[in-house]
Amino acid sequence: MTSILKTVQLSHKYSSSWAIKDINLELNQAGVIGLLGSNGAGKSTTMNIICGVLNQTEGSVFINGIDLREDPELAKQNIGFLPQNPPLYTDLTVDEFLTYTAELGKMEKHTIREAVNEGKEKVGI
């Protein structure tokens, strides 16, 4: 069975210090997953790498068996991430932001409205 998400010796260094080192993670089923740790523990760095926002210094990330570095466009079609504070366009409404990101993710236009409503319903918005 192909893992939904797998990291192998995932590591990232900012200048001379390691933000994360040798993270091995494997998720085999969908669900709500929490990534917990103190400030500076590497949670944001890890998520930014997994979502393809930041390139890791070492190691690999696989999304549904697709190597994120080898085929980033295909891998990113299989993952979504909404941080606590959206990185861009903070003046957009929830609907506008989700619609915009769906368009960036190349969702078919006729499916976007239903996907936005489903996503909001799932999280109670």
Side-chain angles (χ1 to χ4, degrees):
M1 174 173 65
T2 301
S3 301
I4 293 171
L5 169 66
K6 182 176 183 179
T7 66
V8 179
Q9 294 183 306
L10 187 62
S11 302
H12 189 72
K13 186 184 241 186
Y14 290 109
S15 62
S16 63
S17 62
W18 292 99
I20 57 172
K21 187 75 173 143
D22 295 328
I23 294 177
N24 295 296
L25 172 68
E26 188 166 3
L27 303 176
N28 293 311
Q29 64 183 37
V32 177
I33 306 297
L35 188 57
L36 305 175
S38 60
N39 290 343
K43 301 178 300 292
S44 294
T45 298
T46 301
M47 289 305 301
N48 284 327
I49 293 170
I50 288 171
C51 295
V53 175
L54 177 67
N55 285 324
Q56 67 269 30
T57 304
E58 296 177 357
S60 301
V61 175
F62 299 91
I63 313 277
N64 285 337
I66 303 160
D67 187 318
L68 184 59
R69 272 206 170 151
E70 288 183 14
D71 197 345
E73 189 170 324
L74 183 59
K76 289 177 189 179
Q77 289 176 11
N78 290 277
I79 193 166
F81 171 58
L82 180 61
Q84 182 176 350
N85 297 309
L88 300 172
Y89 307 115
T90 56
D91 57 334
L92 296 179
T93 66
V94 170
D95 282 20
E96 290 169 337
F97 182 79
L98 292 175
T99 299
Y100 176 66
T101 56
E103 290 169 352
L104 286 177
K106 299 181 182 178
M107 282 187 75
E108 295 181 25
K109 291 206 182 294
H110 71 277
T111 65
I112 292 174
R113 180 181 296 267
E114 183 179 338
V116 166
N117 290 336
E118 183 180 322
K120 288 185 346 183
E121 184 178 315
K122 283 183 178 181
V123 297
I125 295 177

